[in-house]
Amino acid sequence: MTEGIAERTQRGVGRLNLYRPDFLLLVVDLMGVCVFAVEGALAAIRSNLDILGVLVISFATALGGGMIRDLMIGAIPPNSVRDWRYPATAFLGGGAVFFFYQLFQQVPLQLVITLDAAGLALCAIAGAGKAMEFGINPLLSVLMGAVTGVGGGTIRDILLNRVPGVLQSDVYAAAALAGALVVVIGLRLRVPRWMVMTSGAVVCFVLRMMAVWMHWNLPKVMVH
Amino acid sequence: MTEGIAERTQRGVGRLNLYRPDFLLLVVDLMGVCVFAVEGALAAIRSNLDILGVLVISFATALGGGMIRDLMIGAIPPNSVRDWRYPATAFLGGGAVFFFYQLFQQVPLQLVITLDAAGLALCAIAGAGKAMEFGINPLLSVLMGAVTGVGGGTIRDILLNRVPGVLQSDVYAAAALAGALVVVIGLRLRVPRWMVMTSGAVVCFVLRMMAVWMHWNLPKVMVH
Amino acid sequence: MTEGIAERTQRGVGRLNLYRPDFLLLVVDLMGVCVFAVEGALAAIRSNLDILGVLVISFATALGGGMIRDLMIGAIPPNSVRDWRYPATAFLGGGAVFFFYQLFQQVPLQLVITLDAAGLALCAIAGAGKAMEFGINPLLSVLMGAVTGVGGGTIRDILLNRVPGVLQSDVYAAAALAGALVVVIGLRLRVPRWMVMTSGAVVCFVLRMMAVWMHWNLPKVMVH
């Protein structure tokens, strides 16, 4: 019985959705959702959207990456459709920005970047970990971690009719990939889970912050 | 046996897809598909697309919202992939506009807006109702109703490289949300299904029409 | 036992994903992935993206169409998430273009168009065939073939913030539809599989090449 369930989860059959993040992971996850929702709302207000547009963009920015990942790995319905706390957090974050926009505008850019890097790190390691639990192979689990981290921002930019920033900006998706890679390697080597998750998050966060501080950029081909 | 089926539907396991809308609902649904297909085709022709482009946009506008909803709630393959009458209706609507464009251009704007509001109402209540049947929680069922109503138009605008109108325009998604909310509350209170559906549709339709007539708009943050 | 498996595949229940393309089909499929990845990378470099952006666009262009098809027909997780050879091929193709851009630029346009037509033909027939195997009805299997062929290019254009070329250009999606139609009709008439696949691919390829050579275009409505 237990063996059957374990096997099912591992092979990603997972329609019963036995995946239950523990409470700490949930809190951490919702913090990431909140940060991304706030950033989405700020972008939406600057694009002159009304309150509902702001909430839609908050929702898409905060939960879009995880939704794509869940559809891809077969965790259907996606977590954010099954658990009302995810959309509620996204809407709270977006609504707060709408009603207290003056306040949020005064948040120093440095803090926004730091929180965003933390959100990116949390999403990337959670995404990679969940993909591994659903039996996705290592290469694709790393990709799924990155998708979780950058997918929401990409959907936001598509909706606001911009070229997705993640395709252009300094080391952002690369940091998510690095963090996810650490998680996948760690889990394969059977390093304890908390240690794997912590180091993955640290790697992603530090890489991203250093890239911002030191103006790192990935190489480009010069097109004449 | 019967209990097993009911339970499965309710928990959204639903791979067997026991969801079968009755005949009246099907007709009403296909009318909504047709209205949206016509609108999509008009936008595509104005964007100078060829006949196949027009049919693609008709298809995406008419069926995109329902497809996203079905993927999200776990009704896979989506209804419009399983039942050929949905794409056939979308293509018929789009093709009719292509071949009789002169005629369709003469349809008064007032009629287009009214039919569109009716289509929105039908999609929103059908979407919310289906999400509830698949065991999605109330908050998310309301959202799924709105997604069904506005998803297709959003995909159309992304494909035509515009900022989705639904993010900017007057009370549109809000009307869909209101209709879906009525449906979800009604179904929870075990009000008879036909009464719930009718009042949801009326609320959505009336809200949308009043918003157009009275130039209602949702509040925005003034960005200096 | 065997009967049960066959039936399950046919009805598209398919969570166990018994679908295993044989080796020849795999090689052919990966060649198509590689061609599309190269084209995606060329477009990304011309849009001034960095190396990661180039790889993301390669991945999306090469595998996006098949992913959408797999989500739609219920083959979840999609093939390209389950089998690491698909993303690996896409990344190899994209990476090669990045590091040897000078070389790839000298490839004559005629060759690029020919290879692209071949890739389109392979994707369209493989997509239509897979949809039929999952028990999708004929009309929608034809559409799924076309989605497989043109979906990736459409996602690429959305990410690069353009109107998808497939909606505007000469007979491209139409060729994919024609090839998929041949496959679906052939499979329904129980013509041997290799004959069906070959004729579908030839029809798509020849149509596309003739459209390019003879500047065919689909009709448009003149908007005054």
Side-chain angles (χ1 to χ4, degrees):
Chain A
M1 184 72 190
T2 309
E3 196 264 350
I5 289 177
E7 187 186 280
R8 198 180 294 130
T9 310
Q10 198 201 332
R11 292 225 322 281
V13 178
R15 189 139 280 270
L16 288 176
N17 273 310
L18 300 159
Y19 182 79
R20 295 233 175 286
D22 57 306
F23 187 69
L24 181 65
L25 199 54
L26 179 72
V27 171
V28 165
D29 216 12
L30 291 180
M31 282 168 53
V33 166
C34 192
V35 170
F36 281 172
V38 165
E39 290 185 67
L42 289 171
I45 289 173
R46 278 164 203 152
S47 289
N48 203 26
L49 300 186
D50 64 30
I51 178 157
L52 202 65
V54 169
L55 293 180
V56 168
I57 297 284
S58 298
F59 182 89
T61 310
L63 303 175
M67 275 189 186
I68 296 178
R69 176 204 59 212
D70 282 356
L71 288 180
M72 289 292 157
I73 66 176
I76 294 176
N79 215 28
S80 41
V81 171
R82 232 163 346 108
D83 186 340
W84 64 272
R85 288 169 294 195
Y86 285 84
T89 306
F91 290 139
L92 275 179
V97 173
F98 188 83
F99 290 110
F100 306 105
Y101 183 64
Q102 307 297 336
L103 232 73
F104 277 90
Q105 259 192 320
Q106 287 157 30
V107 174
L109 185 63
Q110 195 51 56
L111 182 57
V112 172
I113 289 175
T114 309
L115 286 175
D116 178 70
L120 180 71
L122 298 174
C123 285
I125 61 166
K130 185 167 180 184
M132 290 294 280
E133 278 189 58
F134 272 73
I136 304 299
N137 81 58
L139 170 60
L140 280 153
S141 293
V142 173
L143 289 180
M144 290 299 123
V147 163
T148 312
V150 308
T154 304
I155 295 178
R156 175 196 63 209
D157 288 344
I158 290 175
L159 288 174
L160 298 179
N161 206 15
R162 312 171 181 169
V163 175
V166 71
L167 291 175
Q168 300 184 308
S169 76
D170 24 325
V171 182
Y172 190 85
L177 281 171
L181 184 65
V182 169
V183 168
V184 168
I185 291 176
L187 290 178
R188 288 295 292 233
L189 299 178
R190 300 186 180 284
V191 178
R193 203 179 159 78
W194 67 267
M195 210 188 286
V196 168
M197 289 301 187
T198 312
S199 17
V202 168
V203 164
C204 174
F205 180 80
V206 169
L207 262 181
R208 170 67 186 146
M209 293 309 287
M210 288 186 64
V212 172
W213 283 335
M214 313 187 65
H215 298 287
W216 283 347
N217 268 299
L218 292 178
K220 283 186 191 181
V221 173
M222 287 299 120
V223 182
H224 320 286
Chain B
M1 184 73 190
T2 309
E3 196 262 351
I5 288 176
E7 189 186 280
R8 198 180 297 131
T9 310
Q10 199 200 333
R11 293 222 325 280
V13 177
R15 187 141 280 270
L16 288 176
N17 272 310
L18 301 159
Y19 182 79
R20 295 232 173 287
D22 57 304
F23 186 69
L24 180 66
L25 199 53
L26 178 72
V27 170
V28 165
D29 217 9
L30 291 180
M31 282 168 53
V33 166
C34 192
V35 169
F36 281 172
V38 166
E39 290 186 66
L42 288 171
I45 289 173
R46 278 166 203 150
S47 289
N48 203 26
L49 300 187
D50 63 30
I51 178 157
L52 202 67
V54 169
L55 292 180
V56 169
I57 298 285
S58 297
F59 182 89
T61 311
L63 303 175
M67 276 189 186
I68 297 178
R69 175 206 60 211
D70 283 355
L71 288 179
M72 289 292 157
I73 66 177
I76 294 176
N79 214 28
S80 41
V81 172
R82 233 165 342 108
D83 186 341
W84 64 272
R85 289 169 294 196
Y86 285 84
T89 306
F91 289 140
L92 275 180
V97 173
F98 188 83
F99 289 111
F100 307 105
Y101 183 64
Q102 306 297 337
L103 232 75
F104 277 89
Q105 260 192 318
Q106 287 157 30
V107 175
L109 186 63
Q110 195 52 55
L111 182 58
V112 173
I113 290 175
T114 309
L115 287 175
D116 179 70
L120 181 72
L122 297 174
C123 285
I125 62 166
K130 185 166 180 184
M132 291 293 280
E133 278 188 56
F134 271 73
I136 305 298
N137 82 56
L139 170 60
L140 279 152
S141 293
V142 173
L143 289 181
M144 288 300 122
V147 163
T148 311
V150 308
T154 304
I155 295 179
R156 176 196 62 209
D157 289 345
I158 290 175
L159 288 174
L160 298 179
N161 206 15
R162 314 171 180 167
V163 176
V166 71
L167 292 174
Q168 300 184 309
S169 75
D170 23 325
V171 183
Y172 191 85
L177 281 171
L181 184 65
V182 169
V183 168
V184 168
I185 292 176
L187 291 177
R188 289 296 293 234
L189 299 177
R190 298 184 183 282
V191 177
R193 201 178 160 77
W194 67 268
M195 211 187 285
V196 168
M197 288 301 185
T198 312
S199 17
V202 168
V203 164
C204 175
F205 180 79
V206 169
L207 262 181
R208 171 66 187 148
M209 292 310 287
M210 288 186 66
V212 172
W213 284 335
M214 313 187 66
H215 299 286
W216 283 347
N217 268 300
L218 292 178
K220 283 186 190 180
V221 173
M222 288 298 120
V223 182
H224 321 285
Chain C
M1 186 71 191
T2 309
E3 195 265 349
I5 287 177
E7 187 186 282
R8 198 181 294 131
T9 311
Q10 199 202 332
R11 292 222 324 282
V13 176
R15 187 139 281 271
L16 288 177
N17 272 309
L18 300 160
Y19 182 79
R20 296 232 175 286
D22 58 305
F23 186 70
L24 181 66
L25 199 55
L26 178 72
V27 171
V28 165
D29 216 10
L30 291 180
M31 282 167 52
V33 166
C34 190
V35 169
F36 281 172
V38 166
E39 290 186 66
L42 288 170
I45 289 174
R46 277 166 203 150
S47 289
N48 203 26
L49 300 186
D50 64 30
I51 179 157
L52 204 65
V54 170
L55 293 180
V56 168
I57 298 285
S58 298
F59 182 89
T61 310
L63 303 175
M67 275 189 185
I68 297 178
R69 176 205 59 212
D70 283 355
L71 288 179
M72 288 294 157
I73 67 176
I76 293 176
N79 214 28
S80 41
V81 171
R82 231 163 345 108
D83 186 341
W84 64 271
R85 288 170 295 195
Y86 285 84
T89 305
F91 290 140
L92 275 179
V97 173
F98 188 83
F99 289 111
F100 306 105
Y101 183 64
Q102 305 298 337
L103 232 73
F104 277 90
Q105 258 192 319
Q106 288 158 28
V107 175
L109 185 62
Q110 195 52 55
L111 182 58
V112 172
I113 289 176
T114 309
L115 287 175
D116 179 70
L120 180 71
L122 298 174
C123 285
I125 61 166
K130 185 167 180 183
M132 290 293 281
E133 278 189 56
F134 273 72
I136 304 299
N137 81 56
L139 170 61
L140 280 152
S141 293
V142 174
L143 289 181
M144 289 300 123
V147 163
T148 311
V150 308
T154 305
I155 296 179
R156 175 197 63 208
D157 289 344
I158 291 174
L159 288 174
L160 297 179
N161 207 15
R162 314 171 180 169
V163 175
V166 71
L167 292 174
Q168 300 184 309
S169 75
D170 23 325
V171 182
Y172 190 85
L177 281 171
L181 185 64
V182 169
V183 169
V184 168
I185 291 176
L187 290 178
R188 288 296 291 234
L189 298 179
R190 300 185 182 284
V191 178
R193 204 180 157 77
W194 67 268
M195 211 187 288
V196 167
M197 289 301 186
T198 312
S199 19
V202 167
V203 164
C204 175
F205 180 79
V206 169
L207 262 181
R208 171 65 187 147
M209 292 309 288
M210 288 186 65
V212 172
W213 284 337
M214 312 187 64
H215 299 287
W216 283 347
N217 268 299
L218 292 177
K220 282 185 189 181
V221 173
M222 288 299 119
V223 182
H224 320 285

